[in-house]
């Protein structure tokens, strides 16, 4: 099943190239979820609501996905986790950059030592919203990643059971402004956490350990890799993070980026492609709108 959010916070099921509106279900789910719940309501409700959503979609007219404005498929993640330095060749390419920025060398290239970092929920955007570049005088890089969406609450999860806690997957960009500041500070700029075009449920991705993906900036290929090259694979990432945090339905986990990261500027188009079921994540880089 493919779930998307679009236009004015509507929920849809993607079937072929059509979006079928099931917003009524989203409203009912949200209304029945306690305000204090540490979950994304729709993701938490998927096991109980899946058949209902599919039935609603069959009776709802379709609308071409090209005619909607896609938002992040997860509306209210309890937290956004991200794995640094999780591809060997990316570690190699960043070593030269680390040597040129004062203070950057304090960040360990060893994920076990560096740990997982968090990104602000308010930095999350979907394809239609664009990436606003707040610091055009600095190097701002794209980082293509497969994202895991947690579906069940858990802590101290052994890697052997990790897949039981996954609701689904999506494509993502962990944008970053390079510099010596803390990772979370530079990576939580408005619009610097991109997710989309939709979320697929876990059954749509039979082998998450073998997912190819490629990223282009305009017509230039920048990144091409496969999750088979992850240093910490997905089960290990979940085990690692859950030693420190309780994971909740709707948590988004960015699994790391491979080599080929590079700068973007306003006017660029960033496109990430993977397996057909994951779709195409396409987003514009734009100038930051200065607001009082």
């Amino acid at each position: 099943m493919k779930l998307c959010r679009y236009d004015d916070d509507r929920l849809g099921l993607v079937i072929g190239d059509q979006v079928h509106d099931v917003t009524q279900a989203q409203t009912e789910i949200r209304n029945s979820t306690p305000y204090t719940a540490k979950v994304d309501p729709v993701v938490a409700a998927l096991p109980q609501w899946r058949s209902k959503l599919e039935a609603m979609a069959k009776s709802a007219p379709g609308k071409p996905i090209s005619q909607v404005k896609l938002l992040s498929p997860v509306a209210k993640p309890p937290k956004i986790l991200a794995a640094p330095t999780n591809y060997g060749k990316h570690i190699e390419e960043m070593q030269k950059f680390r040597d040129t920025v004062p203070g950057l060398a304090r960040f360990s290239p060893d994920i076990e030592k560096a740990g997982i970092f968090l990104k602000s929920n308010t930095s999350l955007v979907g394809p239609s919203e664009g990436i606003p570049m707040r610091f055009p005088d600095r190097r701002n890089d794209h980082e293509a990643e497969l994202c895991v969406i947690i579906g069940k609450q858990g802590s101290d999860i052994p890697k052997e059971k990790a897949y039981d806690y996954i609701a689904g997957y999506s494509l993502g960009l962990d944008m970053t402004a390079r510099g010596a500041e803390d990772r979370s500070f530079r990576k939580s700029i408005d619009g610097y956490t991109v997710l989309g075009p939709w979320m697929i449920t876990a059954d749509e991705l039979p082998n998450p350990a073998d997912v190819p993906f490629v990223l282009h900036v305009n017509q230039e290929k920048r990144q091409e890799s496969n999750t088979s090259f992850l240093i910490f694979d997905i089960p290990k990432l979940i085990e690692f993070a859950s030693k420190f945090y309780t994971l909740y339905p709707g948590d988004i986990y960015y699994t790391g980026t491979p080599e080929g990261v590079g700068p973007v500027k306003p006017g660029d188009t960033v496109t990430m492609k993977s397996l057909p079921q994951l779709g195409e994540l396409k987003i514009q880089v734009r100038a930051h709108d200065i607001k009082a």
Side-chain angles (χ1 to χ4, degrees), residues 2 4 6 12-21 60-70 197-198 276-277 279-280:
K2 301 179 179 72
C4 73
Y6 65 99
L13 259 63
V14 179
I15 303 173
D17 62 354
Q18 302 281 308
V19 178
H20 299 262
D21 194 326
K63 183 176 184 179
I65 198 163
S66 60
Q67 296 180 15
V68 305
K69 294 180 179 180
L70 290 167
W198 47 68
Q277 61 267 39
E280 176 185 271

Side-chain angles (χ1 to χ4, degrees), residues 133 138-142 217 222 260-265 268:
M133 188 155 292
R138 296 175 64 163
R139 175 172 160 171
N140 294 264
D141 285 0
H142 57 77
V217 175
R222 295 276 188 88
V261 302
V264 293
K265 63 184 184 304
D268 285 342

Side-chain angles (χ1 to χ4, degrees), residues 21-43:
D21 194 326
V22 293
T23 306
Q24 180 183 345
Q26 176 177 258
T27 301
E28 291 183 35
I29 291 167
R30 288 178 176 176
N31 287 343
S32 64
T33 304
Y35 177 78
T36 55
K38 298 177 181 179
V39 301
D40 176 275
V42 172
V43 175

Side-chain angles (χ1 to χ4, degrees), residues 130-133 175 264-270 283-287:
I131 301 168
M133 188 155 292
M175 303 299 298
V264 293
K265 63 184 184 304
D268 285 342
T269 300
V270 182
I283 191 166
Q284 303 290 321
V285 182
R286 59 180 175 83

Side-chain angles (χ1 to χ4, degrees), residues 89-110:
K89 290 185 178 180
H90 176 54
I91 294 174
E92 294 174 9
E93 76 174 351
M94 290 307 296
Q95 188 59 49
K96 294 180 181 179
F97 188 75
R98 285 161 55 84
D99 294 340
T100 64
V101 179
L104 197 60
R106 75 180 190 275
F107 295 109
S108 173
D110 184 340

Side-chain angles (χ1 to χ4, degrees), residues 103 147 168 179 189 233 266-267:
C147 298
I189 298 169
D233 63 12

Side-chain angles (χ1 to χ4, degrees), residues 253-274:
Y253 207 148
Y254 283 67
T255 59
T257 198
E259 73 278 9
V261 302
V264 293
K265 63 184 184 304
D268 285 342
T269 300
V270 182
T271 306
M272 181 181 176
K273 295 181 181 180
S274 182

